Amino acid sequence: MAFRSEMDTGTPIRVADEQITLSIDGREVSVPKGTSVMAAAALIQAPIPKLCATDSLEAFGSCRLCLVEIEGRKGTPASCTTPAENGMVVHTQTDRLAKLRRGVMELYISDHPLDCLTCSANGDCELQTQAGVVGLRDVRYGYKGANHLDAPKDESNPYFTFEASKCIVCYRCVRACEEIQGTFALTVLGRGFESKISAGGTDFMSSECVSCGACVQACPTATLNEKSVIQHGAAERSVSTTCAYCGVGCSFTAEVKGDKVVRMIPEKSGKANEGHSCVKGRFAYGYATHKDRITKPMIRANIEDPWREVSWEEAIEHAASEFKRIQAKYGRDSIGAITSSRCTNEEVYVIQKLVRAGFGNNNVDTCARVCHSPTGYGLSQTYGTSAGTQTFKSVEKSDVILVIGANPTDAHPVFASRMKKRLRQGAKLIVVDPRQIDLVKSAHVEADYHLALRPGANVAIVNALSHVIVTNGWVDEAFVNERCDAANFESWARFMADEKHSPEAVFPHTGVDPLTVRKAAELYAKGGNAAIYYGLGVTEHSQGSTTVMAIANLAMATGNIGRDGVGVNPLRGQNNVQGSCDMGSFPHEFSGYRHVSDDATRDLFEQLWGRELSAAPGLRIPNMMDEAVDGAFKGLYVQGEDIAQSDPDTQHITAGLRAMECVVIQDLFLNETARYAHVFLPGASFLEKDGTFTNAERRINRVRKAIEPLAGKEEWEVTMDLSRALGYPMDYKHPSEIMDEIAATTPTFKGVSYKKLDELGSLQWPCNDAAPQGTPIMHVDRFVRGKGQFMLTEYVPTEERTGPLFPLLLTTGRILSQYNVGAQTRRTPNSRWHEEDVLELHPFDAENRGINDGDLVALQSRVGEISLRAKVSERMQPGVVYTTFHHPGIGANVVTTDNSDWATNCPEYKVTAVQVRRTNHYSDWQERDREEAVSLRRIAGLSTAAE
Ligand code: SF4
Ligand code: SF4
Ligand code: SF4
Ligand code: FES
C-alpha cells in the first residue's frame, strides 16, 4: 500500500473573489471563478476519472478520460479543461460516459504491459486505478497490434528509472519539468502513435535534468519510478517531516517499510514547497543509514590514540569529568560549545542552556557565525528583527526581483523554481553577482540586468543603486514619512546623494557599467513590487553587515517593505540557521535575540533555570580558537558541525583544536573535526528524532521520527545526560516540553506549541497573542523597532587586495547536488554529479597560464595552497576564480583567510587574493591530510577507500 494520500483535485483550485455555483450530479457546489468542473467535482468527493490531469499542473486535456455531459451543451467536453460556470448542470456518471471512458481505457491498456501484479507500482498506479474505476474488464482488440512494449528502459539516473514501455504519453512529466521545476529537460519526440518522451534526446543522466523528481511524482504509471521502491517494495507506514538540508525547509512524507525509508514525497500542503522538492531532499537521504555512521560512543585520552568504544554512561561521565577538571584548573570560561544549524530548535536550545546554566558562562556560538550572522545584525539595526520579511509565496506577487550574492538554483532550488515561475510570467530580474549564475540565462529565464561586480564591492554597488534613486527623486516619500525616522532619513539621503557613491565614481571598485547600474536602479525603484533575495555572497565579506544594512535601506527608501511581493529576504544556507540563531546560540543573546546584559531577561532565565547567569557576552568561534592557541580555552562541545572543514583558515582552526584538552564531538560521522576529539557522541539523523526546524521564512516546521535512533538516543537526550553529569540536571520527557519552555521564555514564540503545529502544519514567528496564527509578512503597519532606521553605509574596500603575487580573486559557493561540507551528500549517489571540488576560471585567465580544462592546478593564497582540477568557464569574469568546499580532501578553506565582517566576525569566504598555476602534484597540506584521514579511518575501523 502506498501513501499518496493528499487529495488530487485534477486541476488547481483558483484563487478569486468571485464564487461560481454549479450543480454536479444533482449536488450544488461553489468554487472560486476559473476553477475547472473536474476540480469542483473533486471538492464534493465526486472524482471524475482522469489520467493526464493532476492538480499541481495546468489542465492539458489529452487523455479524454474525464469527459462529462453538461446540460445545454453539445458533445462530451473534458472536465479538466472546462471552467465551472454559474448555473451549469453537469453529469459525470451516465451510461454514455461510462462507455466512452471504457473505450479510451481499452486503447491505453491494449498497449501496456500486463504485469500489474509484479509491477513496482502495483496499488500506486493511476492507470490501474482508473481501469478499475471505469470498469474495464476486457480489451476487444487483443494485445497483438502495434505497440511500445519493447521500448527501452533508461536506468541512468541513480534514483529513478524510466521504463518507456509503460508510458501512456500523458505529458505530465514534461509539464512538471516545465511548470513546476522550470528546467525544460523533457520533450516529446515524434507525433501520434510514434510520440515518445525524451530527456534531451539522450538519457536522463546526460540531459539537463537536475533530478528534482517532479516528473516521477507526476507520472501516473510506473514509467518513472523510484529505484528504492522497485528495490524494497511499497511502504508500510508514513511520517510527515521536514527536509534537513537547506533553508527552504520543504515538507515531506517519509514512507517507511520496516526500519527503512523507501521514498520521500514532497507534501502539497507544505507551505514552503507546495509539493515540490530538489534532488537532495527527495532522494539523498541514504546517508542516514550509511555504513560510516558511528553508533557507539567512543573516547580516547589523546588524539593520537585509537578510539575505544564505551557505553553511553562512560562516555558522558568521561566528558563531564574532563570539563569539570578543565574548569577547576583553567577557570569557568575555559570551556564552551558550538551549536549546529542542522540540529533542531530544541537541541540547540538545550545546548545554550547547558552552557549558560551548566558551564556558567556564555561561550556558546553557532555555525551561523560563518554564514548569516551579518543578517541578524544588519536587519535588527534597520528593522528591529533578525529575520527575513516575507513568505516564499510572496514572490508570486513580485514585479521586480533583485537577487544579490545568492545562487538559488543551486543552493535553494525549490524556491528558485517558484521564482523562475514568476519570472516566466513576466516579472523582471536583476542579478548582482560576479559569476554568470544560472538565473542570468537559463531556459525561458533571462536577467534584465546582470551587474557582474568584482568580489568585495557589494556595498559600493548597493550604495550606487541608492544614489541613483535618491538623486533622481525616486524615493517613496509617503512611505518614508510615515514609517521611517525622518531625521535619520535626511542624513542618509544627504550621504547617499554624495557624488562619491555614483555608479560612475564606484566603477573602479565594482567594474560594472554605470549605465547598467542606473537602469537597474530605475527598474527596482519604479517597476512595481520589488523584492530582494540575498545569500552568503552578501554576508560572507568584511562588510557583510554593512551590505545587509545597505539592502535594508534600499527597500525602505523605495517603500518595498510590509506587503506581498516585496521585502528583504535572506536565503539561509542550512535547514535551521534561522532557528539556531533564534534559540540563543550567539554568545551575547538569549533566545529571541535578547542581550545577556539585559537584567529583566536574565532575571527571567535565572528564576526558571535556578542558576545565576553571566551578564558578559561569551566567546565567538574565532575567539575560542584564538584563546585555545593562546592556552586559555581548553574544552569544547561541538554538536553537528565540522569546523575543521567549514571554517576559514583551516590551519588556525586545527591549531586551536589541537591545543585543547577535551574536545567532544556529537555527529553522525567521524568528521574532520573529530580528528582532534577526545570524546565522540553519536548523533541522530533527522529521520530519527522529533523536533522543529525554522526555515528562511521564519516558518517553524515539525520534524518527526520516522525510524528509531540508530545509536539509541536523540541529541537532546545526550545533552541532558551530559548536563546531569555536570551537576545541572534538566528533565524533559519529550522535545515538545522543550518547545513549551521556549514559548514560555521567548516572546516571539509565545503562541507556539506542538499541538498548534500539528493543527496548522507550520507557523511563522512572531506567533503570540497579537498573531496567534503566526506572521507571514513582517513590518506590515510598523517596523518591529518602531520607525525604520536608515544606516549610513560607507564603502570600505576589503584589506584583501590583489597584487602581483596574488592577482586573482577567489570566491566560493555551493552546487546543487552537494550540501555544505558534504558529510551527508558525499555519502549518497549525489556524488555522481559532483565527485570533486573544481576551480572555475575564465578562458582568458586559463590561457594566460597555459591551463586547459581538467588540468590539475595549484591555488595559492597568502595563507595556504591546495591543488584541484580546473574547469574553464565563460560563467566567470576575467580575474575571478571560483570553487566549492564540499570535499574535505580538497580543503578549499585552507586558502581562505581569517578576514571577517567588522560587526559579527563572519568570515570573508567570498574574497581571497590568489594565484593559480599548473601543477603535477597535490599540496603538502593535502598529502598530510590524506595520510591522516586514512589512519583515522583505520583507527576507527572504517573502510580506507576514498569516499
Ligand atoms: S527529475 Fe526534474 S529536472 Fe529531471 S526531468 Fe524530471 S522534472 Fe525535469
Ligand atoms: S513518463 Fe509518465 S508522466 Fe511522462 S508521459 Fe509517460 S506516463 Fe505520462
Ligand atoms: S530545496 Fe532545500 S529543503 Fe527543499 S528539498 Fe531541496 S534541500 Fe531540502
Ligand atoms: S484528465 Fe481531462 S483530458 Fe485527461
Side-chain angles (χ1 to χ4, degrees):
M1 184 191 168
F3 292 90
R4 296 192 190 209
S5 54
E6 289 183 283
M7 181 201 250
D8 183 354
T9 55
T11 63
I13 307 289
R14 300 296 179 200
V15 178
D17 293 336
E18 189 182 340
Q19 290 285 305
I20 300 293
T21 301
L22 67 164
S23 156
I24 299 179
D25 296 336
R27 290 160 68 193
E28 207 164 82
V29 53
S30 294
V31 290
K33 188 173 183 195
T35 301
S36 72
V37 169
M38 172 178 277
L43 288 179
I44 54 166
Q45 312 299 326
I48 297 169
K50 63 182 180 59
L51 277 176
C52 70
T54 186
D55 60 9
S56 55
L57 302 170
E58 292 301 321
F60 191 60
S62 71
C63 75
R64 310 299 295 165
L65 200 67
C66 67
L67 308 178
V68 291
E69 291 177 35
I70 299 174
E71 289 184 10
R73 289 203 191 177
K74 282 194 192 143
T76 49
S79 60
C80 62
T81 49
T82 306
E85 288 177 15
N86 270 326
M88 218 178 216
V89 179
V90 181
H91 302 282
T92 72
Q93 308 295 337
T94 67
D95 290 347
R96 179 183 174 211
L97 291 172
K99 199 168 162 205
L100 284 169
R101 287 176 189 152
R102 267 199 299 276
V104 170
M105 185 55 82
E106 220 174 334
L107 285 171
Y108 279 118
I109 297 296
S110 68
D111 186 10
H112 198 82
L114 296 175
D115 61 355
C116 287
L117 288 183
T118 52
C119 176
S120 55
N122 187 20
D124 187 26
C125 168
E126 292 181 44
L127 186 68
Q128 184 186 40
T129 308
Q130 297 299 348
V133 167
V134 303
L136 185 72
R137 297 283 170 264
D138 194 17
V139 173
R140 287 167 294 167
Y141 324 115
Y143 304 94
K144 299 258 170 16
N147 60 48
H148 300 84
L149 300 182
D150 293 330
K153 219 182 202 182
D154 175 357
E155 296 191 282
S156 59
N157 185 287
Y159 295 117
F160 59 83
T161 58
F162 173 67
E163 203 170 339
S165 63
K166 294 181 172 168
C167 180
I168 58 171
V169 201
C170 66
Y171 284 61
R172 271 164 66 161
C173 52
V174 181
R175 290 181 286 140
C177 193
E178 294 177 4
E179 292 177 29
I180 301 172
Q181 167 57 24
T183 293
F184 296 76
L186 299 178
T187 48
V188 181
L189 299 179
R191 304 183 64 160
F193 181 77
E194 300 300 325
S195 337
K196 63 174 186 185
I197 303 300
S198 169
T202 56
D203 60 23
F204 274 84
M205 200 58 193
S206 40
S207 73
E208 294 291 307
C209 168
V210 292
S211 204
C212 71
C215 56
V216 181
Q217 182 150 331
C219 182
T221 65
T223 314
L224 283 161
N225 205 358
E226 286 92 343
K227 288 184 174 172
S228 55
V229 173
I230 296 171
Q231 189 184 350
H232 301 295
E236 294 156 348
R237 59 194 173 88
S238 68
V239 179
S240 176
T241 190
T242 304
C243 179
Y245 281 116
C246 84
V248 177
C250 296
S251 299
F252 280 91
T253 298
E255 292 193 345
V256 188
K257 184 173 191 182
D259 58 358
K260 201 171 262 319
V261 172
V262 294
R263 179 159 69 177
M264 295 288 277
I265 297 186
E267 293 178 353
K268 284 193 289 191
S269 56
K271 297 204 176 71
N273 56 322
E274 295 188 341
H276 193 32
S277 71
C278 80
V279 60
K280 293 190 285 284
R282 191 189 294 256
F283 296 123
Y285 51 83
Y287 70 87
T289 47
H290 191 276
K291 61 181 172 39
D292 283 357
R293 276 287 298 271
I294 305 290
T295 55
K296 295 273 188 331
M298 302 188 295
I299 62 173
R300 57 184 175 181
N302 192 300
I303 61 171
E304 312 302 334
D305 293 345
W307 285 105
R308 187 163 62 85
E309 281 184 7
V310 294
S311 65
W312 274 110
E313 293 70 28
E314 186 176 347
I316 295 291
E317 197 43 54
H318 180 75
S321 66
E322 278 295 280
F323 282 157
K324 281 197 246 181
R325 178 186 66 75
I326 290 170
Q327 282 193 304
K329 186 168 173 191
Y330 299 102
R332 198 176 59 173
D333 295 336
S334 59
I335 63 172
I338 297 175
T339 68
S340 170
S341 295
R342 287 182 224 169
C343 289
T344 63
N345 286 320
E346 294 74 5
E347 286 160 352
V348 169
Y349 182 85
V350 291
I351 294 250
Q352 60 91 35
K353 177 172 175 177
L354 164 73
V355 171
R356 299 187 203 284
F359 292 1
N361 61 42
N362 285 315
N363 290 338
V364 61
D365 205 1
T366 176
C367 53
R369 168 74 50 219
V370 300
C371 67
H372 266 289
S373 49
T375 288
Y377 180 85
L379 292 185
S380 80
Q381 292 292 308
T382 45
Y383 299 166
T385 196
S386 299
T389 62
Q390 309 296 116
T391 58
F392 288 140
K393 198 173 181 60
S394 152
V395 78
E396 293 168 11
K397 297 277 170 54
S398 297
D399 302 307
V400 179
I401 299 169
L402 192 162
V403 178
I404 171 167
N407 185 6
T409 49
D410 280 59
H412 303 89
V414 166
F415 175 67
S417 292
R418 250 171 143 152
M419 182 189 276
K420 287 198 291 184
K421 189 171 185 176
R422 181 65 194 139
L423 292 168
R424 290 196 303 275
Q425 290 166 350
K428 303 288 183 194
L429 174 65
I430 304 164
V431 173
V432 184
D433 201 288
R435 294 169 73 222
Q436 188 177 325
I437 57 171
D438 281 350
L439 272 184
V440 172
K441 195 168 177 23
S442 58
H444 301 265
V445 166
E446 186 162 357
D448 295 84
Y449 301 108
H450 176 205
L451 313 185
L453 78 176
R454 302 265 302 155
N458 284 337
V459 173
I461 203 100
V462 182
N463 280 352
L465 292 170
S466 288
H467 171 88
V468 175
I469 288 165
V470 167
T471 53
N472 280 285
W474 297 334
V475 167
D476 182 340
E477 286 183 6
F479 181 90
V480 170
N481 289 340
E482 189 190 333
R483 303 284 306 276
C484 305
D485 183 297
N488 171 268
F489 168 74
E490 287 306 326
S491 78
W492 175 80
R494 263 196 313 279
F495 169 78
M496 276 332 321
D498 192 319
E499 198 48 33
K500 72 180 181 183
H501 298 303
S502 72
E504 293 74 16
V506 297
F507 173 74
H509 300 285
T510 63
V512 182
D513 167 37
L515 188 60
T516 312
V517 179
R518 288 186 176 276
K519 285 183 178 162
E522 181 168 12
L523 177 60
Y524 177 79
K526 296 166 73 179
N529 283 342
I532 300 175
Y533 292 88
Y534 73 87
L536 304 181
V538 158
T539 53
E540 290 177 344
H541 287 271
S542 58
Q543 281 206 291
S545 293
T546 316
T547 312
V548 173
M549 294 188 291
I551 286 172
N553 292 339
L554 187 63
M556 275 192 293
T558 50
N560 279 308
I561 284 290
R563 61 181 188 278
D564 262 328
V566 300
V568 173
N569 305 280
L571 292 171
R572 307 287 186 150
Q574 304 203 66
N575 51 322
N576 200 32
V577 178
Q578 182 68 55
S580 71
C581 298
D582 299 342
M583 292 299 105
S585 284
F586 287 127
H588 63 294
E589 284 170 340
F590 289 110
S591 58
Y593 305 96
R594 291 159 298 164
H595 204 276
V596 290
S597 63
D598 179 61
D599 290 341
T601 310
R602 236 181 25 265
D603 278 354
L604 171 82
F605 283 104
E606 285 180 347
Q607 295 289 326
L608 192 70
W609 293 351
R611 286 287 165 106
E612 195 179 324
L613 301 175
S614 168
L619 297 173
R620 299 170 173 183
I621 296 171
N623 310 135
M624 290 180 194
M625 295 304 130
D626 293 345
E627 294 299 322
V629 170
D630 286 352
F633 188 82
K634 292 288 187 181
L636 182 64
Y637 173 25
V638 187
Q639 183 178 71
E641 276 305 310
D642 191 3
I643 56 170
Q645 191 187 345
S646 63
D647 286 34
D649 198 355
T650 308
Q651 302 187 68
H652 182 59
I653 297 281
T654 54
L657 289 166
R658 266 183 198 285
M660 293 186 209
E661 293 182 8
C662 182
V663 175
V664 178
I665 298 293
Q666 189 172 22
D667 209 292
L668 304 181
F669 305 105
L670 270 176
N671 59 22
E672 299 303 297
T673 311
R675 294 185 192 190
Y676 309 92
H678 307 83
V679 179
F680 187 91
L681 304 173
S685 76
F686 78 111
L687 293 168
E688 299 157 49
K689 58 191 171 196
D690 279 294
T692 55
F693 293 148
T694 307
N695 77 354
E697 351 151 77
R698 298 167 278 106
R699 185 181 301 286
I700 307 159
N701 273 313
R702 275 284 272 120
V703 178
R704 294 185 183 83
K705 195 189 287 187
I707 55 177
E708 287 305 313
L710 267 54
K713 284 178 190 279
E714 299 175 37
E715 276 96 338
W716 61 274
E717 295 174 294
V718 179
T719 307
M720 263 187 5
D721 290 346
L722 181 60
S723 193
R724 194 176 300 120
L726 279 163
Y728 182 70
M730 299 185 205
D731 187 25
Y732 305 108
K733 306 279 182 303
H734 187 266
S736 61
E737 295 179 7
I738 305 173
M739 180 53 82
D740 291 343
E741 181 172 319
I742 296 165
T745 55
T746 315
T748 43
F749 275 66
K750 190 172 174 212
V752 180
S753 67
Y754 277 28
K755 184 165 173 285
K756 197 186 270 186
L757 286 167
D758 289 344
E759 280 165 16
L760 298 180
S762 61
L763 286 165
Q764 284 176 274
W765 67 256
C767 174
N768 46 29
D769 294 343
Q773 309 257 316
T775 310
I777 309 254
M778 295 204 71
H779 317 297
V780 172
D781 299 316
R782 61 187 288 279
F783 285 99
V784 168
R785 63 169 301 141
K787 294 281 187 185
Q789 198 78 5
F790 283 86
M791 303 295 290
L792 301 190
T793 53
E794 192 72 65
Y795 171 56
V796 181
T798 169
E799 285 173 11
E800 184 69 5
R801 306 277 164 83
T802 53
L805 288 180
F806 301 104
L808 304 171
L809 283 179
L810 167 74
T811 185
T812 62
R814 299 169 185 221
I815 53 125
L816 171 68
S817 56
Q818 296 288 357
Y819 174 72
N820 206 273
V821 294
Q824 293 138 288
T825 43
R826 277 186 287 108
R827 291 180 170 93
T828 71
N830 273 29
S831 285
R832 288 206 23 210
W833 284 280
H834 184 82
E835 288 171 354
E836 57 182 336
D837 295 319
V838 295
L839 187 76
E840 282 187 41
L841 75 172
H842 189 270
F844 175 80
D845 293 322
E847 199 180 324
N848 263 347
R849 291 165 175 77
I851 293 169
N852 295 311
D853 203 59
D855 281 351
L856 191 65
V857 294
L859 173 70
Q860 188 188 10
S861 73
R862 290 184 179 93
V863 300
E865 178 176 322
I866 57 169
S867 297
L868 70 176
R869 300 270 157 208
K871 182 176 173 191
V872 180
S873 166
E874 297 271 0
R875 283 155 58 107
M876 302 308 303
Q877 54 174 288
V880 180
V881 297
Y882 169 84
T883 191
T884 47
F885 59 101
H886 301 305
H887 291 266
I890 295 295
N893 282 325
V894 170
V895 295
T896 53
T897 68
D898 62 0
N899 289 346
S900 64
D901 175 45
W902 62 270
T904 66
N905 270 153
C906 181
E908 190 168 46
Y909 289 114
K910 303 295 180 187
V911 193
T912 309
V914 292
Q915 177 58 295
V916 179
R917 64 171 198 281
R918 274 185 72 171
T919 185
N920 60 1
H921 62 86
Y922 284 92
S923 73
D924 292 348
W925 181 90
Q926 286 168 315
E927 294 294 355
R928 240 186 1 257
D929 180 78
R930 227 161 264 193
E931 279 164 28
E932 272 185 41
V934 169
S935 103
L936 173 81
R937 292 176 74 80
R938 195 171 288 129
I939 287 168
L942 300 173
S943 151
T944 51
E947 281 160 11

